[in-house]
Every structure is written in structure tokens, then in C-alpha cells.
């Protein structure tokens, strides 16, 4: 917020007498309190235009407390305290992290909305477009407002809101053969599915087509084909055992185990997203457990990050003004991974492959980069296509997996196989331009079936960057 607070926050909260702004029509008095001590305290916020520091008086009988009354209009307000010359926020009150600062927030409802309100959580969402004239028009403020509304939406709505009115959940028994499981994934048009252990009476993991391919490939790395030991005889137990022995590593070097991640229908959407980010899983199982001990849990739904993105887009579709950051060009906000510019030697280039690269190289690169898809570029560097983990299930068509070597079967051949099979994102590639607003990227992520959108240049179609669903959630949640 430093760029927009020069007049107010630029100083150190001098002790000059500053009058409290006069009440505005439909304004509501609010008592601001700083309870954490200090020699002097001032208040500054969006309700003062971030240009006036309001002196706070000591609270009688509370030597560590300061207070001041302000009249607030019905909208979302942000504010900070200047205590002994240092700008601070109160961690015991609602706050939002911006690009550079952390500010407290308060939402004031229209006066007529205050009557008969069942709880504070049902306060209406403001239309930011009506009030933007009163706020600094900066990407930082757009993010603060958007995070506030996203938080309200995701803290009120639960996993129960993700459950479809009707549908089916495909579950694989651990005793199935690799061949049977692979064909089920292909025929049912699913990229991954939970696995049930009938002996332990519980779900033991989630498997994808890539997992099955790797289970067939890894026992003997020198094999020329995938089926030298027979996929009819080997069961999913081998896949599960292999996965349980693995663990991933996040950007901070912390390891996380591979596991079956579930949630209750009553859990908030915010908690579901945090599970996606913490455990780095592609799906979370929505489970209903009976109160009776020892009963088998009921699997209701398998939800994905793209499904939650789709819910957000649907909820705010006619009110994107409440999420102003969604209207900003993606090139203007800190989001995604971008190709290094000329002279930036410390940045890694975007991972891409050529059509003549082997399928084995694509699998290795997706595992190494922990992504769901890889951009495929031609000799000039222009985007040719995108190959995803979901595309691997097309190898089940006509039992192609039995006749190929992953090291010699190239991506171009795999893409041709996909054209006659079941494509995860139809005929439209998950791409966008640097100038596209964020809501275009989110809609693409919601509907494409892959976890990343490729940012390309409009003229030459060269790859400029990659934006993942995880990047979007981290931006919106802070």
C-alpha cells in the first residue's frame, strides 16, 4: 500500500491535531481500538483516503489501549495503525496480506441490511464498482478486495456444495490387474481414481494412468516393451506399494508423503484448497463417515482444484466487480512462472519438449517439474500442442501400450493417438495471452481438464509463461 499512502502513511504519525472526518450520509460510527501499547497511536485507512492520520486517545483504565471513533460508509474498508512511528496491523482483527503490506479490514453493510441479519457471516458482498472511486486504483488494492470476498465465499461454502445432484464414482479394487485397471480408466474417461483394499476395508490411495504405466515400466528398465511380465497377472497392489514408498519435496525442501487425502462434507472450501496445496494431490475424496464405529465410510465425490475454480467463476460470474483482481491483465500481477528475459541469467527457462521427444522424456519431465502437462513446441519455438498426464490413458486404446517402447514412441505419435481417442480438453488448447485478464485464465483452468495454462505471444505463439491452478490459489488466498 506504500505507493498510495504517501500523504498519510508517508509520515510517522505526527501529533498534530487532526479532526475526525464528518459523518457522511448512511455512515455508521465505529470504534477502532489499538490494545497493544505504545507511547502514541494514529489510525489511517481507506475511509480517510489514506491521506490523514487520525490521533487516537488513551483508554481510561487501560494504559496499553488507544481508541478513536470514525464514521464509515457501507463498503469494505482497510486500515492500519501507526504506533510510535511504525505502521502495524492488529493480528487479533481480520486482516489481508497484500503485495507489500498487511492491512486490517472491516466490512460495513447497508443500514437496511443490518435488520434481521442471522449472523455476521451473512453480511452482503459489496459491489466494489460502486465504491472504487473512493479507493486507490492499484493492483494491490484490487488484490486486497478480491481476497476479502474470496475468503468470505470459501469460509461460508463447504465441500457439500461441490457434491453433484447425481453422478458416479469409479473405484478400483486393489486385486484388479494392471491391464483391467488401465482399460477402466480409458473407457470411463477418468484420469485417476481411488483404490479400495477389501482386506483392510479402506481406501489406500489414488492411481492414474501414469502410475500404471510406470509400474509396468520400472521393474526392468531394460525392457523393450511394457508387457514383458504380463499386465494380466500383476495387480494394483504393486502400484500402491511403489507409491507408498515415495514422497515428494516442496520448494522449501520439506517432504510430504503420498497418501489418500479425504475431507468431510462439512469442511470449508478454504480447508479443501489448503489440502490440495499442502499434500500436492490432484483430487480430494469427499467422504461421509457414519457415527457408528467400525462402519465403512461412504465415498461421495472426488473433487479437484479445477472444480473449485469453476465454482468461484460461476458464483462471481455476474459480479466480477467484487473480485477486481480478476479484471487485471495477468502480466501486471505476481502470478505464474515466466520465461527469462534477455540478461536474466538467474532464471530457469520454461520446460518444453519437441514433438520428436520420447514419451519417456515427457513422463520424466512431468514428474520432475510436478506438473500435469508439458508444452510441446516446434523448431521455431512456437506452441505446437500440450501433452498431459491424462493423455497417457489413450495408450489403452487398442492395447497400444503392449506394442510400444516408451523410449522410442515419440510425442507426435502419442498426440496422433489422442486425436482418435478421448482428449481431456477437446480441441481448444489451454492457452492465454499476457494481456488477458485473470478471469480468462481461471475459466480456462476450470474447463480445460489440465492444471496449467500456457501463456503465449500473440504473433509467434512462443511460450512466455505457465500459470497453474496452484499459482491462482496462492494469489487469491495469500
Amino acid at each position: 500500500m506504500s505507493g498510495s499512502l504517501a500523504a498519510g502513511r508517508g509520515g510517522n504519525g505526527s501529533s498534530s491535531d487532526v479532526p475526525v472526518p464528518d459523518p457522511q450520509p448512511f455512515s455508521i460510527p465505529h470504534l477502532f481500538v489499538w490494545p497493544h501499547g505504545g507511547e502514541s497511536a494514529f489510525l489511517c485507512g481507506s475511509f480517510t483516503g489514506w491521506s490523514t492520520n487520525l490521533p487516537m486517545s488513551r483508554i481510561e483504565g487501560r494504559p496499553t489501549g488507544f481508541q478513536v471513533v470514525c464514521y464509515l460508509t457501507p463498503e469494505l474498508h482497510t486500515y492500519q495503525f501507526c504506533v510510535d512511528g511504525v505502521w502495524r496491523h492488529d493480528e487479533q482483527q481480520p486482516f489481508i496480506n497484500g503485495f507489500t503490506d498487511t492491512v486490517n479490514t472491516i466490512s460495513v453493510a447497508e443500514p437496511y441490511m443490518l435488520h434481521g441479519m442471522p449472523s455476521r457471516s451473512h453480511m452482503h458482498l459489496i459491489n466494489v464498482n460502486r465504491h472504487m472511486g473512493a479507493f486507490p486504483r492499484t493492483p494491490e488494492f484490487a488484490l486486497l478486495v478480491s481476497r476479502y470476498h474470496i475468503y468470505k465465499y470459501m469460509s461460508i461454502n463447504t465441500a457439500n456444495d461441490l457434491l453433484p445432484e447425481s453422478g458416479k464414482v469409479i473405484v478400483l479394487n486393489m486385486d484388479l490387474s494392471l491391464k483391467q485397471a488401465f482399460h477402466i480408466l480409458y473407457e470411463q474417461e477418468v484420469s485417476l481414481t481411488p483404490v479400495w483394499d477389501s482386506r483392510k476395508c479402506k481406501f489406500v490411495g489414488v492411481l492414474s494412468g501414469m502410475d500404471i504405466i510406470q509400474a509396468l515400466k520400472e521393474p526392468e528398465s531394460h525392457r523393450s516393451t511394457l508387457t514383458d511380465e504380463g499386465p494380466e497377472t500383476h495387480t494394483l497392489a504393486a502400484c500402491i506399494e511403489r507409491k507408498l514408498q515415495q514422497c515428494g519435496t516442496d520448494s522449501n525442501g520439506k517432504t510430504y508423503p503420498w497418501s489418500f487425502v479425504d475431507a468431510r462434507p462439512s469442511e470449508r472450501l478454504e480447508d479443501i484448497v489448503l489440502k490440495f496445496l499442502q499434500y500436492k494431490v490432484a483430487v480430494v475424496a469427499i467422504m461421509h463417515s457414519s457415527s457408528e464405529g467400525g462402519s465403512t465410510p461412504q465415498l461421495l465425490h472426488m473433487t479437484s482444484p479445477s472444480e473449485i475454480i469453476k465454482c468461484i467463476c460461476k458464483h462471481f460470474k455476474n459480479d466480477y466487480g467484487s473480485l477486481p483482481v480478476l479484471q487485471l491483465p495477468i502480466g501486471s500481477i505476481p502470478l505464474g512462472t515466466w520465461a527469462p528475459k534477455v540478461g536474466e541469467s538467474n532464471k530457469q527457462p520454461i520446460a518444453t519438449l519437441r514433438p520428436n521427444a520420447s514419451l519417456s522424456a515427457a513422463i520424466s519431465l512431468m514428474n520432475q517439474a510436478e506438473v500435469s502437462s508439458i508444452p510441446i513446441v516446434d523448431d521455431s519455438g512456437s506452441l505446437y500442442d500440450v501433452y498431459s498426464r491424462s493423455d497417457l490413458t489413450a495408450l489403452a486404446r487398442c492395447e497400444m501400450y503392449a506394442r510400444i517402447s516408451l523410449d522410442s514412441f515419440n510425442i507426435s505419435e502419442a498426440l496422433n493417438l489422442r486425436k482418435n481417442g478421448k482428449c481431456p480438453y477437446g480441441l481448444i488448447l489451454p492457452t492465454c495471452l499476457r494481456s488477458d485478464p485473470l478471469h480468462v485464465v481461471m475459466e480456462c483452468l476450470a474447463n480445460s481438464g489440465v492444471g496449467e495454462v500456457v501463456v503465449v505471444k500473440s504473433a509467434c505463439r512462443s511460450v512466455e509463461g505457465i500459470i497453474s491452478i496452484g499459482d491462482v490459489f496462492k494469489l487469491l488466498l495469500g
Side-chain angles (χ1 to χ4, degrees), residues 43-84:
L43 176 71
C44 187
S46 55
F47 40 84
T48 69
W50 289 107
S51 60
T52 302
N53 298 331
L54 304 178
M56 303 181 73
S57 59
R58 288 193 179 274
I59 302 174
E60 186 176 356
R62 293 176 58 185
T64 62
F66 294 83
Q67 65 181 7
V68 66
V69 175
C70 293
Y71 286 84
L72 306 181
T73 53
E75 53 195 312
L76 173 67
H77 296 281
T78 55
Y79 62 95
Q80 277 188 318
F81 301 93
C82 183
V83 182
D84 298 338

Side-chain angles (χ1 to χ4, degrees), residues 411-444:
I411 296 175
S412 179
E413 293 172 309
L415 291 171
N416 289 331
L417 180 66
R418 186 189 68 192
K419 290 178 182 178
N420 298 321
K422 298 175 174 64
C423 179
Y425 46 80
L427 300 176
I428 302 177
L429 291 178
T431 62
C432 67
L433 304 177
R434 182 187 286 264
S435 58
D436 284 336
L438 178 56
H439 73 82
V440 171
V441 175
M442 291 178 62
E443 289 163 2
C444 186

Side-chain angles (χ1 to χ4, degrees), residues 95-359:
F95 63 88
I96 301 178
N97 296 318
F99 294 150
T100 57
D101 286 350
T102 300
V103 296
N104 289 114
T105 64
I106 180 174
S107 178
V108 180
E110 301 280 2
Y112 66 84
M113 291 292 291
L114 295 177
H115 300 288
M117 295 297 289
S119 69
R120 183 178 178 86
S121 64
H122 288 82
M123 294 176 71
H124 78 298
L125 296 179
I126 62 170
N127 184 344
V128 177
N129 283 338
R130 294 184 299 158
H131 306 292
M132 282 300 286
F135 297 102
R137 296 173 180 266
T138 63
E140 183 178 48
F141 179 75
L143 180 61
L144 291 176
V145 173
S146 301
R147 282 179 175 172
Y148 171 81
H149 288 290
I150 287 291
Y151 172 78
K152 295 289 287 185
Y153 170 75
M154 298 189 73
S155 61
I156 294 173
N157 292 273
T158 66
N160 191 63
D161 299 302
L162 302 174
L163 301 181
E165 294 183 1
S166 63
K168 62 181 179 180
V169 179
I170 306 300
V171 177
L172 300 178
N173 191 296
M174 201 163 71
D175 294 329
L176 282 174
S177 69
L178 296 175
K179 177 180 178 180
Q180 289 174 313
F182 203 23
H183 279 276
I184 289 174
L185 291 179
Y186 177 73
E187 295 299 333
Q188 297 298 324
E189 299 184 48
V190 294
S191 58
L192 36 75
T193 183
V195 179
W196 174 259
D197 187 336
S198 56
R199 297 177 183 84
K200 298 179 181 179
C201 291
K202 69 175 185 177
F203 292 99
V204 291
V206 176
L207 285 183
S208 66
M210 178 180 286
D211 295 323
I212 296 176
I213 287 293
Q214 289 182 307
L216 290 163
K217 174 189 175 185
E218 287 193 352
E220 294 292 341
S221 58
H222 63 272
R223 294 179 190 171
S224 60
T225 66
L226 296 176
T227 57
D228 286 352
E229 291 189 5
E232 294 87 354
T233 59
H234 287 270
T235 67
L236 296 182
C239 284
I240 295 296
E241 182 64 27
R242 171 183 168 276
K243 295 282 285 185
L244 288 174
Q245 293 176 355
Q246 291 181 330
C247 64
T249 305
D250 62 19
S251 58
N252 297 320
K254 181 180 178 180
T255 59
Y256 52 92
W258 179 85
S259 60
F260 179 80
V261 180
D262 62 279
R264 298 183 303 277
S266 59
E267 290 191 43
R268 302 180 305 170
L269 292 185
E270 179 189 18
D271 298 323
I272 306 298
V273 171
L274 292 178
K275 288 185 177 184
F276 284 124
L277 298 177
Q278 178 181 356
Y279 296 106
K280 296 193 175 183
V281 292
V283 290
V284 168
I286 310 301
M287 306 280 291
H288 173 71
S289 299
S290 173
S291 58
E292 299 179 4
S295 61
T296 301
Q298 182 182 4
L299 176 59
L300 302 177
H301 183 56
M302 299 295 292
T303 189
S304 64
S306 62
E307 186 174 36
I308 297 180
I309 290 286
K310 184 179 293 185
C311 289
I312 294 174
C313 292
K314 181 179 179 180
H315 181 81
F316 292 99
K317 183 176 183 180
N318 298 319
D319 191 21
Y320 275 152
S322 294
L323 303 179
V325 74
L326 267 60
Q327 303 177 59
L328 296 179
I330 56 174
S332 68
I333 51 183
L335 178 69
T337 302
W338 297 87
K341 298 178 181 178
V342 177
E344 290 183 333
S345 58
N346 59 331
K347 292 182 63 176
Q348 294 293 325
I350 300 294
T352 62
L353 290 174
R354 299 291 176 85
N356 60 356
S358 69
L359 204 53

